[in-house]
Amino acid sequence: MPVRGRPYEVFNVEIVMLTVLSSLYMLSIMLWYNFLSLYLGSFFEVEEVGLLLSILTAGGMLSIILGGLLADSLGRRPAIAIAIIGVAVAAVALGFSRSFMVLALAILVFGLCFQSLRTITRVLLPRSFPRR
């Protein structure tokens, strides 16, 4: 169906770029989880590593709901800024943690902020493209 005299576009550059970048993102997350489990395995027991990765996943699951609520109440751009700052603080805390409890708390905050950032940007990104 033509749009304003132009033929229908079969090759949509934005959709292709989003698909490629989303695939690269998923690959990097897979590699990061594997690296994190191997790295933590050199310091902690297998059960503790499993608990830390479960905390990371649980934080990510909670943040899908909390990130949406935060974006609805504050707006999408302030929520993204809060999530980015939270990821930065949690990443620094991950590097400097000396105990298991501090590490578990930092991983929880990292999971909450990182996944909420992903949730909010998935809503904001399509709205930033110009309408055709």
Side-chain angles (χ1 to χ4, degrees), residues 99-115:
S99 69
F100 181 78
M101 293 306 292
V102 173
L103 183 65
L105 181 65
I107 282 183
L108 177 66
V109 171
F110 186 83
L112 282 169
C113 293
F114 186 72
Q115 286 298 105

Side-chain angles (χ1 to χ4, degrees), residues 40 44-45 47-52 55 97-107:
L40 290 175
F44 298 107
E45 297 294 324
E47 294 83 12
E48 293 171 332
V49 173
L51 179 64
L52 289 173
I55 289 171
S97 61
R98 298 279 181 204
S99 69
F100 181 78
M101 293 306 292
V102 173
L103 183 65
L105 181 65
I107 282 183

Side-chain angles (χ1 to χ4, degrees), residues 48-70:
E48 293 171 332
V49 173
L51 179 64
L52 289 173
L53 291 177
S54 297
I55 289 171
L56 179 65
T57 304
M61 288 175 11
L62 282 174
S63 71
I64 292 172
I65 297 168
L66 296 176
L69 292 174
L70 184 69

Side-chain angles (χ1 to χ4, degrees), residues 29 41-42 57 67 69 83 86 104 106 115 124 128:
I29 291 298
S42 63
T57 304
L69 292 174
Q115 286 298 105
L124 184 65
S128 63

Side-chain angles (χ1 to χ4, degrees), residues 1-71:
M1 190 164 159
V3 177
R4 294 187 192 174
R6 292 186 345 198
Y8 182 76
E9 293 182 21
V10 176
F11 183 75
N12 192 338
V13 176
E14 291 91 2
I15 298 298
V16 171
M17 289 301 295
L18 284 176
T19 304
V20 168
L21 293 176
S22 178
S23 300
L24 286 175
Y25 170 77
M26 292 308 292
L27 176 66
S28 67
I29 291 298
M30 262 188 339
L31 294 174
W32 186 76
Y33 268 95
N34 289 333
F35 171 75
L36 184 65
S37 62
L38 289 174
Y39 178 74
L40 290 175
S42 63
F43 298 106
F44 298 107
E45 297 294 324
V46 174
E47 294 83 12
E48 293 171 332
V49 173
L51 179 64
L52 289 173
L53 291 177
S54 297
I55 289 171
L56 179 65
T57 304
M61 288 175 11
L62 282 174
S63 71
I64 292 172
I65 297 168
L66 296 176
L69 292 174
L70 184 69

